[in-house]
Amino acid sequence: MSTSERFVEYRKSQRILPAHQAATNGRTAHVESTAPGSDENLPAEPTSEHFQYLKNRAQSNLYRTPEDRAAMRALEKVLLGDNRHLNRRDVSAQSGVSLLTSRKIWRALGFPNLTDKDLFFTESDADALGTITGLSREHGLTEEGVISITRSIGQLTDRMVAWQIEALVEDMMTNKGYTDSKARQELLKFLPELLEDLEEILIYGYRRQLSAAVLRLALRSEQNDIDDPTLLPLVRGVGFADLVSYTTLSRRMNEQTLADLVQTFEQRCAEVVAVGGGRIIKTIGDEVMFLTETPEAAARISLALSKLIKEDPHLPEARVAFVWGRILPKLGDIYGPTVNLASRLVAVANPGDVVTDDSTAHTLADDQRFVLTPRDIQDIRGFGEIRPVGLTPGIGNELEIDFE
């Protein structure tokens, strides 16, 4: 039976108990329906505990009607295997994992702080605790390593699902003419139809990215057998692209216009960086940080970004800077003086310019694809006097980007 079929069957087979019968030892009780098709054949309404983490002084909960709440409960059962009916001690006992360790794992996943009164979990949470702790018990990972891996999953999937939900809502607003509120209500019914495909794509993407990451490990060894523990482990190109006057523009834009601008900027950057052989490390509103395996790739990507953003009538101009040097990869991010210098350089670049530092420029000096022009020395915070070097296209093919 497909996910969407299980969702429909669940909605048919459950009903709300009368209020005086609904609680059993603090848990919501479910019984088989005796009158299929009646208004009572809906999952029990979520208790107040389920919504205490959703309080917002500026906005109210969209899912207020009994139908919406029933749909949300049905979706919850499809996603979690059951409605939430276990507290933290229940699920910890079922999994055989101590409450202390369980709480560390839940914090790493990004769960809210819970008490013994909160019915937040299902049996699937107990299974997950067993799997996560099994990384240490069966495969020899340290607790610190397990927590770090778990945190990576919690943080990245949190952003991923938020992105996907907003993309689905926007798609329904654009193609079906729904209001934002209507689209979010319809999403409850639409998600079960997509769930299996989304999960399959997620696993596919994860395996492809993992394969690519393993291949990149070949570039960790030093060409000259340098073994200096004071050096950061990787030598990479780090670049930043920053929209000019974004803060001023965002104040004058309505919600849709601002959303379109941000989406266009991020999409353009992601496609250019991917075609150039780099990776997006993160995006922060009006700024994108990317990583490359060679200084030449960083230079080509930077020039392509500057050109395409400048030619796009829907985007303001951008400043772009990149530096070739040593970095420390950690927690899915990158750190070190190379990152800081690239960030400082993009702040002093002129609109529409691409700049780098003198050391990186020296590395590219013999490449005819780039024209390097030294600029006036500037006092860069944390680095002192630095001479930025402007970069423009030279002889040879530029990075070809086809957005069609």
Side-chain angles (χ1 to χ4, degrees):
M1 183 181 294
S2 68
T3 302
S4 56
E5 289 171 336
R6 290 198 300 269
F7 176 80
V8 172
E9 287 300 313
Y10 171 71
R11 295 196 65 181
K12 290 180 179 178
S13 66
Q14 304 291 318
R15 71 180 179 87
I16 301 175
L17 286 175
H20 66 280
Q21 299 177 7
T24 304
N25 296 326
R27 300 182 183 181
T28 303
H30 297 289
V31 298
E32 293 296 325
S33 169
T34 55
S38 71
D39 291 340
E40 291 184 345
N41 300 326
L42 296 171
E45 182 175 329
T47 60
S48 60
E49 286 85 354
H50 293 128
F51 293 101
Q52 63 176 314
Y53 310 107
L54 305 178
K55 293 179 180 178
N56 185 310
R57 294 183 179 181
Q59 296 179 313
S60 59
N61 185 5
L62 179 66
Y63 305 128
R64 294 188 298 271
T65 68
E67 181 180 1
D68 286 338
R69 292 201 172 200
M72 186 167 63
R73 292 280 284 177
L75 176 60
E76 181 180 85
K77 184 164 186 178
V78 170
L79 295 174
L80 305 183
D82 199 351
N83 293 127
R84 308 179 195 211
H85 61 277
L86 300 175
N87 66 25
R88 63 182 188 174
R89 293 188 182 277
D90 294 331
V91 73
S92 179
Q94 283 193 20
S95 65
V97 178
S98 72
L99 183 58
L100 177 62
T101 299
S102 298
R103 293 181 66 188
K104 290 180 181 180
I105 291 171
W106 295 330
R107 282 197 297 269
L109 287 168
F111 291 178
N113 193 34
L114 302 165
T115 70
D116 291 347
K117 295 181 180 180
D118 296 317
L119 305 181
F120 189 82
F121 300 103
T122 71
E123 282 76 10
S124 66
D125 293 290
D127 293 339
L129 282 177
T131 300
I132 293 169
T133 55
L135 294 175
S136 177
R137 185 176 58 255
E138 298 172 14
H139 300 286
L141 276 68
T142 64
E143 181 181 88
E144 182 180 355
V146 170
I147 293 298
S148 182
I149 290 171
T150 305
R151 185 176 293 113
S152 75
I153 295 170
Q155 291 186 4
L156 295 179
T157 53
D158 174 70
R159 184 184 181 201
M160 180 189 69
V161 297
W163 186 335
Q164 291 176 348
I165 287 172
E166 294 306 320
L168 290 170
V169 167
E170 183 177 343
D171 188 76
M172 286 189 281
M173 292 172 63
T174 301
N175 296 325
K176 297 185 178 181
Y178 290 165
T179 63
D180 183 86
S181 297
K182 175 65 174 176
R184 293 178 192 278
Q185 290 171 321
E186 291 299 313
L187 187 66
L188 295 178
K189 307 169 187 174
F190 187 40
L191 268 178
E193 301 176 16
L194 300 177
L195 183 58
E196 290 181 352
D197 289 338
L198 291 176
E199 288 179 340
E200 184 175 338
I201 295 169
L202 173 61
I203 294 172
Y204 164 76
Y206 173 77
R207 289 177 177 270
R208 289 293 304 184
Q209 294 291 357
L210 187 59
S211 174
V214 171
L215 291 176
R216 286 194 298 269
L217 290 177
L219 297 176
R220 290 188 69 104
S221 62
E222 296 288 349
Q223 292 184 359
N224 298 321
D225 294 326
I226 299 174
D227 187 16
D228 186 345
T230 66
L231 296 177
L232 297 181
L234 298 185
V235 184
R236 296 290 189 271
V238 179
F240 287 86
D242 179 47
L243 288 179
V244 176
S245 303
Y246 171 81
T247 302
T248 302
L249 288 170
S250 63
R251 291 191 188 128
R252 301 200 301 260
M253 293 179 176
N254 61 31
E255 176 186 349
Q256 189 58 50
T257 305
L258 179 59
D260 290 343
L261 183 147
V262 171
Q263 181 170 321
T264 300
F265 173 62
E266 291 195 0
Q267 180 177 334
R268 288 287 185 265
C269 289
E271 291 173 339
V272 169
V273 171
V275 170
R279 290 188 295 131
I280 295 287
I281 297 299
K282 60 184 173 184
T283 59
I284 308 174
D286 61 336
E287 188 173 70
V288 168
M289 179 169 72
F290 61 91
L291 186 72
T292 67
E293 309 297 333
T294 68
E296 293 81 9
R300 298 186 76 200
I301 288 171
S302 297
L303 290 172
L305 283 173
S306 180
K307 178 183 178 181
L308 286 170
I309 292 172
K310 186 182 299 183
E311 292 176 350
D312 194 317
H314 304 293
L315 293 175
E317 285 190 300
R319 303 181 181 93
V320 185
F322 69 97
V323 174
W324 174 252
R326 290 187 174 275
I327 62 166
L328 172 68
K330 194 73 172 177
L331 304 177
D333 208 336
I334 55 176
Y335 303 88
T338 299
V339 180
N340 297 335
L341 180 55
S343 177
R344 299 283 191 270
L345 286 176
V346 79
V348 301
N350 295 320
D353 275 1
V354 176
V355 300
T356 187
D357 69 322
D358 189 61
S359 176
T360 305
H362 180 74
T363 303
L364 299 170
D366 296 329
D367 196 322
Q368 294 184 339
R369 291 174 297 177
F370 314 117
V371 176
L372 300 159
T373 307
R375 304 284 177 82
D376 293 336
I377 292 176
Q378 297 202 36
D379 187 14
I380 304 296
R381 180 164 60 90
F383 292 90
E385 293 187 343
I386 296 288
R387 183 184 295 278
V389 179
L391 185 78
T392 53
I395 301 172
N397 293 331
E398 298 179 11
L399 198 61
E400 295 183 4
I401 310 295
D402 184 5
F403 291 116
E404 298 301 327

